[in-house]
Amino acid sequence: MRSRCCRCRVKMADLLGSILSSMEKPPTVGDQESRRKAREQAARFKKMEEEEKRKKAAFRKKMEKEVSDFIQDSTQQKRKYNPMGKIERSILHDVAEVAGLTSFSFGEDEESRYVMLFKKEFAPSDEELEAYRKGEEWDPQLAEQRRRLKEQAALEEEASRQSDKSEVCPNSNYRDKYSHLIGTSAAKDAAHTLEANQAYGCVPVANKRDTRSIEEAMNAIRAKKRQKLEDDPSAHSSTF
């Protein structure tokens, strides 16, 4: 009995030892430091995200106030903002769209990109937008001068084409010049109309002098010969 109990206690001890050895060991000093730094870093990220959200909300509120003032100011037709980042431009475009305004971004590189707002009734023309894209200031008077110059150039080009056409056309009608040779009647009017005839082809019937058939013509010729022989007996004897 004692030997069995001893063996059971040994087995229990081995099982307990294996369980204890499989359990996670308590963290060392290095592991605790790593976890502390990870918690601090996560806290900093969360704080930065909250700060970023707060800044975006504050910027949007500021833009909403400026856009509202711009709409109520009847003396302003457009408004140009200083260069700003991509996020700020996106917020300003969204605020302008909600307010019913037209907005565009201009500038070649990211650092110089800026936003311009336009009231709907004063939407920019294609020429104005092209000037802003080129980095030029929009001058309505200069644009009107350019438009007139383009219209004048187009009129001169059209006049030049008309002049070239008039030079190609003859000054006189060749029919009048050579009427003594070709006559005044058109060839179509002067031509004779031919009517096809089954017996005579395309020769007009009126132009046919002898309308008899071949058999009738041959009989007439034989009759003339007989009449000639009867009238001239000498001709009859000479034929034989």
Side-chain angles (χ1 to χ4, degrees), residues 223-237:
K224 285 183 179 181
K225 287 183 178 182
R226 286 195 299 271
Q227 184 66 33
K228 186 176 180 180
L229 293 174
E230 292 175 357
D231 295 340
D232 189 0
S234 59
H236 177 74
S237 59

Side-chain angles (χ1 to χ4, degrees), residues 199-216:
Y200 303 106
C202 292
V203 181
V205 177
N207 293 345
K208 294 289 184 178
R209 295 182 180 181
D210 194 349
T211 59
R212 296 175 299 177
S213 64
I214 296 176
E215 184 178 358
E216 291 175 350

Side-chain angles (χ1 to χ4, degrees), residues 35-52:
R35 292 180 180 179
R36 184 184 64 80
K37 289 181 179 181
R39 287 193 298 270
E40 291 178 355
Q41 187 176 8
R44 285 196 300 269
F45 284 152
K46 185 177 181 180
K47 187 176 180 180
M48 290 174 60
E49 289 178 354
E50 292 176 354
E51 182 68 15
E52 189 70 20

Side-chain angles (χ1 to χ4, degrees), residues 98-198:
V98 173
L101 302 176
T102 302
S103 62
F104 295 92
S105 292
F106 303 101
E108 295 182 357
D109 51 18
E110 185 63 26
E111 295 181 356
S112 62
R113 297 283 287 178
Y114 64 92
V115 177
M116 287 191 68
L117 304 182
F118 299 86
K119 294 180 179 179
K120 290 289 186 179
E121 59 271 23
F122 302 106
S125 62
D126 294 338
E127 292 81 4
E128 185 175 358
L129 292 176
E130 185 64 23
Y132 294 139
R133 292 190 183 100
K134 293 180 179 179
E136 301 174 357
E137 291 294 333
W138 172 247
D139 188 350
Q141 296 180 355
L142 180 60
E144 181 64 20
Q145 293 178 0
R146 291 177 178 175
R147 186 186 64 81
R148 292 180 180 178
L149 290 175
K150 288 182 179 180
E151 290 181 355
Q152 183 178 357
L155 292 175
E156 291 178 355
E157 184 178 358
E158 181 65 22
S160 177
R161 286 199 296 265
Q162 294 295 335
S163 177
D164 294 340
K165 290 181 180 179
S166 62
E167 290 178 0
V168 173
C169 296
N171 295 327
S172 61
N173 192 340
Y174 76 94
R175 293 182 180 274
D176 298 335
K177 186 175 182 179
Y178 300 102
S179 60
H180 63 286
L181 297 177
I182 64 175
T184 57
S185 299
K188 182 178 180 181
D189 298 334
H192 295 287
T193 302
L194 301 180
E195 296 180 359
N197 186 277
Q198 188 174 5

